[in-house]
Amino acid sequence: MINPARQNHDQQPDDLSSADDYIAPVPRISVQAFCVTDETAAVVLAAGSDRRFSKAHLTVKMGGAAAAIEVYHSMPTPNVIILETSDRGDVLADLDELATVCDPGTRVVVIGSERDAAPYRELLRRGVNDYVIGPIETLDVLRSISSLFSASETVTTGRVVAVVGAKGGVGASTVAHNVAWAIARDMAMDSVVIDLDLAFGTAGLDYNQDPMQNIANAIFQPDRPDTALMERLLAKCTDRLSLLAAPATLDRVYDFGAEAFDAIFDTLRMATPCIVLDIPHQWSGWTRRALIGADEIVIVAEPDLANLRNAKNILNVLKAARPNDRPPLYCLNQVGMPKRPEIEVKEFIKTIESKPIAVIPCDSRLFGEAANNGQMIAEVSASHATSKLFVQMAQRLTGRGETKKPRSSFLAPIMMKLRAKA
């Protein structure tokens, strides 16, 4: 029997820059699509190559409902069936017959057209989990499959924000830690910072933490890390912010395969709304994979030639690897350092061909005091313009607008006095 349907969500905007259209990664499932047109088959195949589909197994076949019914008479059904309707077919009759060969738990997504005669309510009664009106685009497929598992089962799927420096020593870790602090404090989101610079990480110092356990306890253990283990490894920085620290020791060499951190990220996604990755400045299989797999990326650069070249190279690589995502973001840090020749911000923007998410001015005293005291910039000076910049970055990266305080009426003082007398 096909599972009950959820509400239709097609026809959402595909403008990646106009709205926060967060699409969670698809879990390890099998998806089989039965298409009628070559155009739809090509779009579904393109969705299968997206980063969010990397753990799922996708098969695309032609023939529509008739082919699906014939196949499933002799083999078990997958987790999800994508079914494109035919103008000449009876979609309700096809769904009735498909239900006779569907295994329990199989979910069905129907790709229809405006010419479909079947009312949407009848499709729901047949157990369709989602109905999308064609012609479809890649994001329609991703959004539909993702929401079947992230919404219908109320599973928390955390958003991953990756921060990396265009060059060593540009302050990417400082930016990552302060943005994570703002996400937890000002956005009121439970968050975890993961310090991925195992040899030289500074997150423990910046948050004034000295945890006994760290990410090495998870990465080097033989079994797949579970939620209970990750909870034990996290150091509590605030009520909403936790830290998975780096060992920051040189007693071993930290060489990893491309998928070394996948299990850690997947486990934390299931329980944490926001995960901030502090990625070291190196180019390897696992750093590239972590960046490509993140939901939002921030490249931190200083205004000089090497940073400009590196930032543009990283942006170009990530854009090509993530065709269905918003472009990565970048911020300029330590701008206006005394006696240092710099590339002007407008020239940096002209070369990168986009504006930075933030331009952080140089303030050696403020940042030095925060680093030496194990504090965030907002703890040293909450009213400083840089503190507000980190809050703005947090808002942009979490897709949340500014939390506006309710305006008080000019009658409020009088009303308070009346309540006091009462």
Side-chain angles (χ1 to χ4, degrees):
M1 184 176 182
I2 303 172
N3 282 353
R6 64 176 187 80
Q7 289 213 344
N8 184 22
H9 65 276
D10 63 293
Q11 303 298 319
Q12 290 194 13
D14 288 330
D15 182 0
L16 294 174
S17 62
S18 64
D20 181 56
D21 187 15
Y22 176 60
I23 302 175
V26 175
R28 296 183 186 276
I29 57 171
S30 58
V31 181
Q32 294 181 358
F34 293 85
C35 302
V36 175
T37 64
D38 293 335
E39 292 78 10
T40 299
V43 170
V44 176
L45 282 171
S49 62
D50 186 88
R51 65 169 180 90
R52 285 158 288 206
F53 229 94
S54 61
K55 293 182 175 63
H57 178 72
L58 173 68
T59 304
V60 179
K61 300 180 180 180
M62 304 303 293
I69 293 166
E70 181 179 354
V71 167
Y72 298 135
H73 270 297
S74 57
M75 64 178 290
T77 52
N79 301 108
V80 178
I81 299 173
I82 300 176
L83 200 66
E84 184 181 14
T85 63
S86 170
D87 292 341
R88 297 186 296 272
D90 185 345
V91 62
L92 296 181
D94 291 338
L95 289 172
D96 287 340
E97 189 171 355
L98 181 63
T100 65
V101 295
C102 255
D103 299 329
T106 295
R107 310 180 189 202
V108 175
V109 175
V110 172
I111 300 173
S113 70
E114 295 179 352
R115 295 186 296 273
D116 283 342
Y120 181 63
R121 183 173 297 178
E122 287 300 316
L123 295 174
L124 298 186
R125 290 180 60 187
R126 260 66 175 188
V128 171
N129 295 86
D130 196 15
Y131 178 77
V132 184
I133 297 176
I136 60 170
E137 297 183 4
T138 304
L139 284 180
D140 295 324
V141 179
L142 292 170
R143 189 183 297 114
S144 179
I145 303 301
S146 171
S147 58
L148 291 179
F149 295 89
S150 61
S152 62
E153 295 180 354
T154 63
V155 173
T156 301
T157 307
R159 177 185 301 239
V160 175
V161 177
V163 183
V164 67
K167 189 170 175 282
V170 298
S173 293
T174 300
V175 171
H177 304 161
N178 279 275
V179 167
W181 178 277
I183 290 172
R185 187 194 64 173
D186 298 281
M187 302 296 100
M189 292 179 66
D190 291 337
S191 306
V192 169
V193 175
I194 305 181
D195 191 344
L196 293 171
D197 190 349
L198 273 73
F200 303 105
T202 60
L205 297 174
D206 285 352
Y207 290 121
N208 197 24
Q209 297 287 325
D210 187 19
M212 296 297 295
Q213 301 188 85
N214 51 64
I215 193 171
N217 298 97
I219 197 69
F220 292 118
Q221 73 150 3
D223 300 324
R224 182 182 176 87
D226 56 17
T227 303
L229 172 64
M230 299 312 300
E231 285 291 334
R232 292 198 301 271
L233 300 183
L234 294 177
K236 201 77 171 175
C237 299
T238 68
D239 289 341
R240 291 191 175 274
L241 181 65
S242 298
L243 168 65
L244 184 56
T249 59
L250 303 179
D251 55 351
R252 67 192 307 169
V253 176
Y254 302 106
D255 292 331
F256 304 112
E259 301 179 4
F261 294 93
D262 284 6
I264 294 174
F265 299 161
D266 291 345
T267 301
L268 286 174
R269 271 184 183 270
M270 300 301 292
T272 310
C274 187
I275 301 163
V276 178
L277 306 182
D278 179 6
I279 298 180
H281 175 71
Q282 65 182 67
W283 195 246
S284 61
W286 73 264
T287 55
R288 184 179 186 276
R289 183 176 177 85
L291 286 168
I292 291 175
D295 299 300
E296 298 287 354
I297 304 168
V298 179
I299 301 165
V300 181
E302 289 187 359
D304 63 31
L305 187 58
N307 277 275
L308 177 59
R309 180 201 63 186
N310 294 353
K312 188 166 181 62
N313 286 343
I314 296 171
L315 283 165
N316 290 341
V317 168
L318 295 178
K319 284 179 184 178
R322 298 156 51 92
N324 305 308
D325 287 89
R326 279 181 284 266
L329 303 167
Y330 75 97
C331 82
L332 288 174
N333 193 27
Q334 299 295 323
V335 176
M337 183 177 293
K339 299 183 180 180
R340 180 181 69 175
E342 295 181 349
I343 296 175
E344 292 187 12
V345 173
K346 63 180 181 180
E347 293 299 324
F348 211 98
I349 293 173
K350 183 178 179 180
T351 303
I352 296 295
E353 299 179 337
S354 64
K355 293 182 178 180
I357 186 175
V359 176
I360 303 172
C362 177
D363 192 331
S364 300
R365 182 175 180 178
L366 174 66
F367 280 86
E369 181 179 348
N372 289 333
N373 293 341
Q375 292 179 303
M376 296 292 100
I377 298 300
E379 293 181 289
V380 176
S381 178
S383 61
H384 197 279
T386 301
S387 299
K388 297 175 182 178
L389 281 177
F390 288 131
V391 174
Q392 292 169 8
M393 292 177 69
Q395 292 167 348
R396 176 84 176 271
L397 293 168
T398 56
R400 298 189 177 189
E402 181 179 359
T403 304
K404 296 182 179 180
K405 296 180 180 180
R407 295 175 61 183
S408 60
S409 168
F410 70 94
L411 294 176
I414 300 174
M415 297 301 295
M416 290 180 64
K417 291 180 179 179
L418 291 175
R419 292 193 189 100
K421 290 180 179 180

